[in-house]
Amino acid sequence: MINENTMELLLSSFPKILEYGLKVTLPLAAIAFILSTVLAVIVAMIQYAKVPILKQICRFYIWIIRGTPLLVQLMVAFYGLPLFGISINPFLMAVIVFTINEGAYSAETMRAAMEAVPAGQMEAGYCVGMGYMQIIWHVILPQAFRTAFPSLFNALISMVKDTSLASSITVVEMFTRTKQIAGQSYNYLPLYIEVAVVYLLFCTILTYLQKRGENFLGSYGVRK
Amino acid sequence: MGLLEVTNVHKSFGDTQVLKGINLKVDKGQVVSVLGPSGSGKTTLLRCINFLETADEGYLNFDGNSYHLPKASKKNIADIRKETGFVFQNYNLFANKTVLKNVTLGLTSARKIPAKEAEKKAYDTLKKVGMLEHMDKYPSQLSGGQQQRVAIARALATDPKILYFDEPTSALDPQLTAEVLDVMRDLAKDGMTMIVVTHEMSFAREVSSHIVFMADGVIVEEGTPTEFFENPKNSITRDFLRLTSVE
């Protein structure tokens, strides 16, 4: 059972763990998610529009990223970039790797969502005189984004937890901070359960935000 | 005066020849109905005229300019489409836009007309089709007939020189069909130039100035409604009319 010392440790460590959650874990996930969504939309549009050469490059990018582990990608960036004289701080590097990683997955989500918009929507746009990019912007992307939103948010929730891998490239995020505290106290299990609860808390809030987001985006009058 | 004329239109999908040399002329103010059995190429013809399909061969003369159908430039196609309106069998309203936005989008985005002015125009055309009171609804909240009337308003709002209708009532029950046909009848009365691909025989007979009958990728017979319905010359036409007419 939980003795007094453990209780005290849990209470005293909670603000420290939460601090790194709010200061590192959430910003890392949020920034990388936003950037990866922008990247995903661009990659999806290139494929949707079947732009020659660029399309092949996109397929290659998705193939590489989806076919290798995130942890390996982090390591390759960490040891590889300095060889090219690029030295950036680990947090920024984590943002870049997470963006590129998540971008590949979300690009496929967006592409599928764009392709799910009926062809008639494009034709109707042409027939009222609109150009290709105008139709993409006003008609296809909004509908695709609504379809992709739950999947994209799913990816965000995954990413919040995957940020713990950033510890491998010396980013001190929530999990690393927990390990440090645990190491000092030699009392591992309670602290790991505690950090699990904090992750769970974050993801619960995100799930709530997803629901709000879906309501905000609306469903274009479709009854749910 | 010929507003639109297509000559020698050919189109194949793979090995299937769908259009085998179609010639069609439409004068200003005319309502031309294109009739014929399913698979005869009526819809493909209409889609080729508006470049939704690229014809393999043929010329389009529209409003005094001539275009080689397979080779028309993007710019030409865009310019032609700005002068034409298209009404689809399954409406194709923009699912993410309200009724009002469906009508204004072609004006504000494609023609850079200020929003206020576009809305004024939309009120006019929505009123004409009896859908003004539904302008804040989304397409999914409307019946098929209502959606099709909005689609007509959307096409009308751009002040087209000609309207194309691709089986506009095929997805509707008789009652909803009637409300859409009423709108089209009004347009014909107003002198709108239209090409209507349809299976509505009584509508074609009553409203058209010219009937074109297609079968198997060619125009088998054409003429005024009276000639066509009362004295069909071709045996295919006679068989078709026997099967479809209720009278």
Side-chain angles (χ1 to χ4, degrees):
Chain A
M1 288 310 293
I2 298 173
N3 60 35
E4 228 169 84
N5 284 342
T6 306
M7 199 61 215
E8 200 176 302
L9 176 66
L10 286 177
L11 285 175
S12 66
S13 61
F14 184 77
K16 294 179 203 159
I17 293 174
L18 189 65
E19 182 197 348
Y20 274 76
L22 297 174
K23 223 171 65 180
V24 186
T25 294
L26 278 186
L28 174 56
I31 297 169
F33 175 69
I34 291 167
L35 293 179
S36 73
T37 303
V38 174
L39 178 65
V41 168
I42 293 167
V43 171
M45 275 171 60
I46 288 169
Q47 295 184 83
Y48 185 80
K50 301 191 171 67
V51 185
I53 303 168
L54 280 181
K55 189 191 159 202
Q56 273 79 12
I57 293 173
C58 289
R59 290 316 304 175
F60 182 75
Y61 153 65
I62 291 168
W63 174 67
I64 290 278
I65 296 300
R66 290 202 306 181
T68 54
L70 175 55
L71 187 56
V72 173
Q73 291 162 15
L74 283 163
M75 288 304 179
V76 168
F78 186 69
Y79 290 104
L81 289 182
L83 296 181
F84 296 95
I86 302 167
S87 64
I88 45 177
N89 79 53
F91 180 83
L92 193 58
M93 191 179 286
V95 167
I96 292 169
V97 174
F98 278 101
T99 297
I100 290 173
N101 180 274
E102 194 50 55
Y105 289 92
S106 297
E108 288 294 87
T109 305
M110 273 311 291
R111 181 177 64 85
M114 289 178 81
E115 284 170 359
V117 177
Q121 297 283 304
M122 186 61 97
E123 292 183 348
Y126 280 138
C127 285
V128 295
M130 295 167 74
Y132 184 81
M133 283 312 290
Q134 288 175 331
I135 303 169
I136 292 285
W137 184 250
H138 291 287
V139 180
I140 308 293
L141 274 183
Q143 292 183 40
F145 192 71
R146 179 64 190 86
T147 308
F149 185 77
S151 299
L152 293 177
F153 226 90
N154 211 12
L156 171 62
I157 288 172
S158 268
M159 187 145 50
V160 168
K161 292 166 293 168
D162 288 346
T163 51
S164 56
L165 292 175
S167 63
S168 62
I169 57 167
T170 75
V171 176
V172 182
E173 41 63 64
M174 188 161 73
F175 178 65
T176 312
R177 186 75 189 108
T178 308
K179 270 205 296 196
Q180 290 170 350
I181 299 167
Q184 287 156 9
S185 66
Y186 298 107
N187 200 349
Y188 293 94
L189 185 61
L191 283 162
Y192 286 157
I193 292 173
E194 186 174 31
V195 76
V197 170
V198 179
Y199 278 116
L200 190 60
L201 181 72
F202 285 174
C203 292
T204 307
I205 293 169
L206 284 175
T207 306
Y208 170 75
L209 287 179
Q210 176 181 347
K211 195 141 189 66
R212 290 289 299 270
E214 283 179 28
N215 287 339
F216 175 75
L217 286 173
S219 42
Y220 311 130
V222 179
R223 264 183 234 110
K224 276 183 281 191
Chain B
M1 175 191 112
L3 171 67
L4 176 142
E5 186 170 6
V6 287
T7 37
N8 195 30
V9 182
H10 284 262
K11 174 70 183 173
S12 299
F13 293 108
D15 292 336
T16 318
Q17 255 194 298
V18 181
L19 300 176
K20 303 170 182 169
I22 300 284
N23 300 303
L24 179 69
K25 186 164 174 272
V26 183
D27 291 336
K28 200 162 175 290
Q30 259 193 332
V31 177
V32 175
S33 290
V34 183
L35 310 178
S38 297
S40 58
K42 311 180 296 291
T43 291
T44 304
L45 173 64
L46 210 54
R47 290 172 63 83
C48 284
I49 294 176
N50 215 25
F51 300 95
L52 292 174
E53 305 285 353
T54 308
D56 300 327
E57 190 43 66
Y59 283 87
L60 166 71
N61 196 307
F62 180 73
D63 205 21
N65 296 306
S66 188
Y67 309 91
H68 189 200
L69 281 173
K71 299 259 167 63
S73 69
K74 274 188 180 166
K75 170 91 173 63
N76 284 341
I77 293 174
D79 288 345
I80 295 168
R81 280 183 178 145
K82 280 187 183 161
E83 306 286 336
T84 63
F86 200 102
V87 176
F88 297 86
Q89 180 176 351
N90 52 358
Y91 338 123
N92 287 342
L93 293 179
F94 303 128
N96 60 320
K97 302 281 179 196
T98 61
V99 165
L100 182 65
K101 282 269 164 31
N102 259 278
V103 180
T104 56
L105 190 58
L107 303 174
T108 52
S109 79
R111 292 167 184 78
K112 307 288 172 230
I113 293 172
K116 278 271 167 287
E117 208 177 306
E119 277 171 20
K120 220 183 237 170
K121 184 82 203 170
Y123 297 150
D124 285 348
T125 59
L126 283 171
K127 200 168 168 197
K128 196 172 248 171
V129 301
M131 287 298 295
L132 188 55
E133 74 226 64
H134 300 290
M135 67 177 191
D136 292 322
K137 288 188 181 164
Y138 284 95
S140 63
Q141 295 168 312
L142 304 175
S143 74
Q146 289 175 324
Q147 291 192 55
Q148 194 58 296
R149 284 188 282 150
V150 173
I152 293 173
R154 175 173 70 178
L156 275 180
T158 60
D159 285 324
K161 293 201 165 85
I162 186 166
L163 272 182
Y164 306 123
F165 291 85
D166 179 18
E167 304 193 22
T169 60
S170 293
L172 303 174
D173 69 28
Q175 194 187 345
L176 300 181
T177 296
E179 64 184 49
V180 170
L181 292 183
D182 280 344
V183 169
M184 292 170 64
R185 214 170 267 129
D186 287 345
L187 291 178
K189 245 179 251 162
D190 292 348
M192 174 60 75
T193 313
M194 306 195 268
I195 302 180
V196 185
V197 170
T198 186
H199 292 295
E200 295 293 329
M201 293 301 146
S202 50
F203 173 82
R205 185 172 191 163
E206 174 203 345
V207 178
S208 314
S209 29
H210 192 77
I211 305 266
V212 170
F213 180 77
M214 282 178 71
D216 201 21
V218 293
I219 293 178
V220 175
E221 182 161 354
E222 55 182 314
T224 66
T226 321
E227 282 167 9
F228 180 81
F229 282 102
E230 281 168 21
N231 192 15
K233 291 171 189 65
N234 191 293
S235 65
I236 305 173
T237 320
R238 279 199 293 271
D239 288 346
F240 181 77
L241 287 176
R242 198 176 309 132
L243 286 170
T244 51
S245 67
V246 239
E247 292 122 303

